[in-house]
Amino acid sequence: MSSIWTNGGLSLSLFGESHGPAVGAVLDGLPPGREIDLNALNRLMLRRAPGRSTLSTPRTEADIPEILSGLYNGKTTGAPLALIIRNTDTRSGDYAEFTNKPRPSHADYTGAIRYRGVNDPRGGGHFSGRLTAPLTAAGGICLQILSQQGIEIASHLYAVGHVTDRPFGKEDDFQAIRHNLEELGLPVINPLVAAQMKQEIEGARRTQDSVGGIIECRVDGVPAGIGSPIFGGVENVLSSILFGIPAVKGVDFGIGFEGATLYGSQHNDPFTVENGRVKTKTNHAGGINGGITNGMPLVFRAVFRPTPSISSPQQTVNLTTMQEEMLEIKGRHDPCILPRASVVVEAAAAIAILSMLGEAL
Amino acid sequence: MSSIWTNGGLSLSLFGESHGPAVGAVLDGLPPGREIDLNALNRLMLRRAPGRSTLSTPRTEADIPEILSGLYNGKTTGAPLALIIRNTDTRSGDYAEFTNKPRPSHADYTGAIRYRGVNDPRGGGHFSGRLTAPLTAAGGICLQILSQQGIEIASHLYAVGHVTDRPFGKEDDFQAIRHNLEELGLPVINPLVAAQMKQEIEGARRTQDSVGGIIECRVDGVPAGIGSPIFGGVENVLSSILFGIPAVKGVDFGIGFEGATLYGSQHNDPFTVENGRVKTKTNHAGGINGGITNGMPLVFRAVFRPTPSISSPQQTVNLTTMQEEMLEIKGRHDPCILPRASVVVEAAAAIAILSMLGEAL
Amino acid sequence: MSSIWTNGGLSLSLFGESHGPAVGAVLDGLPPGREIDLNALNRLMLRRAPGRSTLSTPRTEADIPEILSGLYNGKTTGAPLALIIRNTDTRSGDYAEFTNKPRPSHADYTGAIRYRGVNDPRGGGHFSGRLTAPLTAAGGICLQILSQQGIEIASHLYAVGHVTDRPFGKEDDFQAIRHNLEELGLPVINPLVAAQMKQEIEGARRTQDSVGGIIECRVDGVPAGIGSPIFGGVENVLSSILFGIPAVKGVDFGIGFEGATLYGSQHNDPFTVENGRVKTKTNHAGGINGGITNGMPLVFRAVFRPTPSISSPQQTVNLTTMQEEMLEIKGRHDPCILPRASVVVEAAAAIAILSMLGEAL
Amino acid sequence: MSSIWTNGGLSLSLFGESHGPAVGAVLDGLPPGREIDLNALNRLMLRRAPGRSTLSTPRTEADIPEILSGLYNGKTTGAPLALIIRNTDTRSGDYAEFTNKPRPSHADYTGAIRYRGVNDPRGGGHFSGRLTAPLTAAGGICLQILSQQGIEIASHLYAVGHVTDRPFGKEDDFQAIRHNLEELGLPVINPLVAAQMKQEIEGARRTQDSVGGIIECRVDGVPAGIGSPIFGGVENVLSSILFGIPAVKGVDFGIGFEGATLYGSQHNDPFTVENGRVKTKTNHAGGINGGITNGMPLVFRAVFRPTPSISSPQQTVNLTTMQEEMLEIKGRHDPCILPRASVVVEAAAAIAILSMLGEAL
């Protein structure tokens, strides 16, 4: 039951394997009567789709979701919205040997133990990053619903390897990101870092290596009073879905880990009044106090480990002989997952936020 | 329903307010027939109890849980285990004004909006760190059950303000922590940092300030194959409960955020064979691949923001007049929550780990 | 995790054993700001309390719940409401032999297998009907909340053994039940059946036997549009909690099992207009179409098997010798549980209905 | 989130509308490594498929599920198993007027209110009995898994209108049902009632009416000790899924409602020893004591109201004019749903039973 996420009446069920017939999602609990623009959804999917540039894997997939239910006359009906995305460009031969010689830091080894050797190993099977395609499609629908009520979500590449963007901080950061994504091909705030990030990624690709990084995400327009104390906190809910994105190994909110060295007098966000509304002067808390939104933008970060699929030789263990052996992974892989992952983070956040608004059925 | 945490057949329900009659917990789904040593549980509670030293709040609570159900002849019965801890030393007068003049970075403001002004504000009510007392008691029971099957959990103060301990890395780290906790009063690996950390905390106290930090936790003895892909991953499950501890603003696994600058060739953990068993040479993944344990120790960190209750004057907003005002918080507060929080992290981790072992009813 | 019931953001956790320190409940997700009259709650508890007449077990318990959390200034706070009821009049000696010689149709045998012999057997332990005391207290709180918004619930003894009351059908049935309960001591619509029912129960008591029956319950004032199709239907939700009452072996809605012999043309409820509102001429569907309320009163029935605790000799098996043996149950038992169970049914229904109104947090 | 059913680590998500592109199901948590015979599954689907005889609707659907995930090399993988069934023979024109003039006892009226008029009304949309096709396919997979471990499920038409079969009672009842289904086209124990039942159904069809009935189901081979007290009881779990089948208005266990008139001395099932194993002489409890299986066959019944779609004129309300009007339903409808529903009951039961065996992931 590990592939179902549920909160506040909204649930997301993901299914599929990388090289099976299709991947898909069921979103159950969507509020009825919301208009969904399928063309806009398909455009959003392009941000995640592979094969768009040398920055990503050469595998190409149209990634156009087919909606099977829950939409009628262009609107959500309140019934479960199911969508599937057919797998087309699969070459399963690439993956045969990994069952016996697991790739380091992949799920080949752990998956085989968990599922007693019967899981579908082709392309990582159900562990594949390909599962983020239906996640993105489901989240894209939530993004549209949120946008209709004034909630906008954007993320940027906060860090790629050693290259760092500046953190969120200005009103027009969202425009900058959108502009840079279109013009420079990367979602960053500071346009000057785009070229350096590409260089970092290109360098990893050339050396048959990979590089990780950090995605920072902001959610504008969430009213104060959303979320709950203890286990129903915005942090709990968001992290429970964000760790569902393969390669995410850490999540923090507001100033997060960087706040460990601050004193309370520095970290606390003083209240102020702006245009007759309660605000805070700083936003070190990332818009969340006691698990509940305070009306400031939600800010959080997710760290992505470098993708473990690298072509340079690595040490593994032959599970039959129990001898150490060297392994060279061929296949088609992303040297850096972050350019494609930013839309996935936004999509996951949208599902989580929508689930907390109390409108799910 | 925000105060219920549930996974894999085990659920924890927390209840109570800081200044109400009692706080408590219900653990439902415990495996039957496990011996529980209540004296050991009470000793564990002392690590979290307030009033033990100048490092913590002067509020003193015996914090001895009363078990109401689920134990019979010293063993778990399989029925829900309920426990309560009476609140005794409460001075509610301290908190009256915060409803109108919310403390910065506290839940006074967000709680009032969420609960339309009717929540119990005394001592932070249900948002209080006091809720970690029943959490610790419940987790303490799980710690004993895990220990009986060879799973041990320990944590240390990875950082207090600018003072940092060395990370986990050696077999005997657990003994070092236990020894230093007993001898030096702080759970650290490197004994030399204990004095500096105390100084950092004492300094914060003297300046009517507070200081945050990072707790690193390790779980030894978890077999490979525990956890699930996507939303059932060990990271998802652990973070969903860890963010239930007030003040936690970030969680990462293995090398976590520090791994963002590594290349895949550096980050990957090569497989090796040790005493006929599959291991990894490094443990950057924190013992988790694809959401599933790989047999290496689980390692994760939680960042604690400095406690927002500081005595120095802070700016807030008078919600009646909507004017900015200065606020001085009196009350009794911890200058640093981390010394008391390490056992809470271990307790929360124990609940999460036990829930994933497939033994819950 | 079997003792937690959850729906639509509201959850109920029951704990305790018949002869342990206390039984109790945690209600998480109650809407905040609802006034609770504790005196009225205690009066309601009397309807379930044992020892009130010769119709029930001589065991006497004050059954006054102590509220531990979630109430402040007489109102719900939105935080979990926990309550406990101490067990006082327990005589555990009565139950010792049943572990080895299980009572027919009790949970002695199945509980021992399920919990590998370590469950608390005293008084039936966690299986005891005593758990309906905290269920009633929790439901009593929900009954008050519902009543404040115009939703009223009442039930009557539809059948006790061979004596049957007339089914719900008139507007003033609720008054009749209340009147008869007060005057005649039994919740019935037709006052003439009260004496016969008492005779039936008294006869069972005299012959060291027990007698079952049917409770019919009606909920007035639920607006149309509550509930959901498929697994979220009003029938699914109500039955999932009603079968939590020990001895309930069947639940049906509207005309239920009696409708099996009707044709569609007879069973269908034709729509009509009454005072400008849509109604149905008959209510064979019990107010539910497609799992969703249609604005008519909800009507359902629960059948209670005769309590298995009878004093006359019964055949059992000695689990040590695996020989058949005769068993005589001493103890204190109800010859008929139905007079005390009607308030339990109403309480359970109140929890279920409140959970479906979309107001739970 | 109403279309997700979950218990014990197994979850079933149903999606689709009667006249949309497809209906489908996701089963998450299946134990890995179980062989699935897709030909046998397709044969099972024929028992539910429409258009097979004059006893059912003339709508014909191949109803062959396409498996999208979770099967590899003919075995379950432990990953979610998703399947879809395309809708092919749809004539949506039949349903246009029902939005304004709701069919009595259908979900037209309640669905429109619940979903604010935007739900897909064609063919009943998500409320359609067509959703039992993916339910049957999902349950068919569970039936195969259960059968591999010695658990067999069968059901028969206990009653169709006024014609009643004899209840379960003999070892070879399952063979009788299978034989009569094949030879006489109806799953009954007593072959003599088949012709009368057909006559009853044929009579309803001729008079443009419909007829309901009762399905009794038995599960053999479930070991003692499955299920839990209070809300995790076998009765709770089974009823929560059975009420997901449209038209089911009541569920009872063992002797159920018929036991209301029995005394405890008659209803109790005395323990006995048979071939060295504990049994009960009678099985009035339907194999369940205290919510937990006692090793005897599980027996339960579900009452199906007559399908509300009848062609004879009925009174409804025009929701625009708020005037009473007469309605004639054309379309294609079953005069009696029970012959097709027996496999649906077995499928639903299989999902519930499998979820309680503790093998779900």
Side-chain angles (χ1 to χ4, degrees), chain B residues 82-354:
Chain B
L83 58 89
I84 61 173
I85 302 170
R86 295 276 172 186
N87 294 322
T88 51
D89 180 24
T90 58
R91 306 185 199 162
S92 300
D94 295 348
Y95 293 88
E97 72 177 310
F98 304 141
T99 305
N100 191 38
K101 296 198 281 180
R103 293 169 291 173
S105 296
H106 257 287
D108 300 334
Y109 176 66
T110 57
I113 292 182
R114 174 73 167 117
Y115 298 111
R116 301 158 214 169
V118 298
N119 56 315
D120 179 350
R122 299 169 301 163
H126 189 55
F127 293 90
S128 168
R130 181 140 182 77
L131 270 290
T132 59
L135 173 61
T136 302
I141 286 163
C142 297
L143 279 166
Q144 292 191 21
I145 292 172
L146 291 176
S147 183
Q148 289 161 21
Q149 50 201 95
I151 297 175
E152 300 290 342
I153 301 181
S155 71
H156 69 115
L157 308 190
Y158 182 90
V160 169
H162 293 84
V163 186
T164 52
D165 195 7
R166 74 160 173 74
F168 276 115
K170 297 189 185 164
E171 288 277 320
D172 60 358
D173 286 345
F174 280 24
Q175 284 123 284
I177 292 171
R178 240 170 270 131
H179 180 265
N180 292 330
L181 178 59
E182 206 151 305
E183 296 299 314
L184 307 171
L186 285 184
V188 290
I189 299 176
N190 176 359
L192 302 179
V193 301
Q196 299 170 48
M197 284 183 175
K198 287 181 188 168
Q199 225 172 343
E200 181 85 279
I201 296 170
E202 197 45 46
R205 198 187 59 75
R206 257 197 336 268
T207 56
Q208 305 191 318
D209 212 330
S210 65
V211 61
I214 297 170
I215 286 176
E216 188 186 40
C217 185
R218 195 176 86 188
V219 188
D220 284 359
V222 180
I226 304 302
S228 293
I230 320 269
F231 305 121
V234 174
E235 293 104 333
N236 309 251
V237 173
L238 272 167
S239 67
S240 73
I241 195 166
L242 289 167
F243 279 115
I245 305 172
V248 170
K249 295 298 278 188
V251 172
D252 66 0
F253 294 85
I255 199 170
F257 275 94
E258 294 173 8
T261 57
L262 296 189
Y263 293 102
S265 56
Q266 303 167 307
H267 200 297
N268 281 0
D269 299 309
F271 283 111
T272 184
V273 175
E274 212 181 287
N275 301 325
R277 300 184 56 180
V278 175
K279 302 258 171 178
T280 63
K281 284 184 163 181
T282 51
N283 188 17
H284 296 137
I288 311 162
N289 298 138
I292 300 174
T293 56
N294 62 14
M296 296 295 291
L298 299 187
V299 179
F300 63 88
R301 305 182 309 161
V303 60
F304 284 73
R305 53 151 298 143
T307 169
S309 291
I310 56 175
S311 307
S312 46
Q314 300 180 86
Q315 180 176 314
T316 185
V317 166
N318 181 318
L319 296 177
T320 310
T321 65
M322 283 301 277
Q323 298 298 313
E324 294 171 0
E325 287 189 19
M326 293 310 284
L327 178 75
E328 281 182 53
I329 305 176
K330 303 246 166 43
R332 301 161 292 173
H333 306 289
D334 288 300
C336 181
I337 203 73
L338 278 90
R340 294 172 57 201
S342 86
V343 67
V344 182
V345 168
E346 296 166 20
I351 296 166
I353 300 297
L354 183 58

Side-chain angles (χ1 to χ4, degrees), chain C residues 97-98 101-106 108 208-210 305-318 323-330 333, chain D residues 263-272 281-282:
Chain C
E97 72 175 311
F98 305 141
K101 297 199 278 180
R103 293 168 291 173
S105 297
H106 258 286
D108 299 334
Q208 306 190 313
D209 212 329
S210 64
R305 53 151 297 145
T307 171
S309 293
I310 56 175
S311 309
S312 46
Q314 300 179 82
Q315 180 177 312
T316 184
V317 167
N318 182 320
Q323 298 298 315
E324 294 172 0
E325 288 190 18
M326 293 310 282
L327 178 76
E328 281 184 53
I329 305 177
K330 306 248 165 39
H333 305 289
Chain D
Y263 294 102
S265 56
Q266 303 166 303
H267 199 298
N268 281 0
D269 299 309
F271 283 112
T272 182
K281 283 184 164 180
T282 50

Side-chain angles (χ1 to χ4, degrees), chain A residues 50-51 55-58 209-211 307 309 332-337 340:
Chain A
L55 297 177
S56 81
T57 164
D209 213 329
S210 65
V211 60
T307 170
S309 292
R332 300 158 294 172
H333 306 289
D334 287 299
C336 181
I337 203 73
R340 294 171 57 199

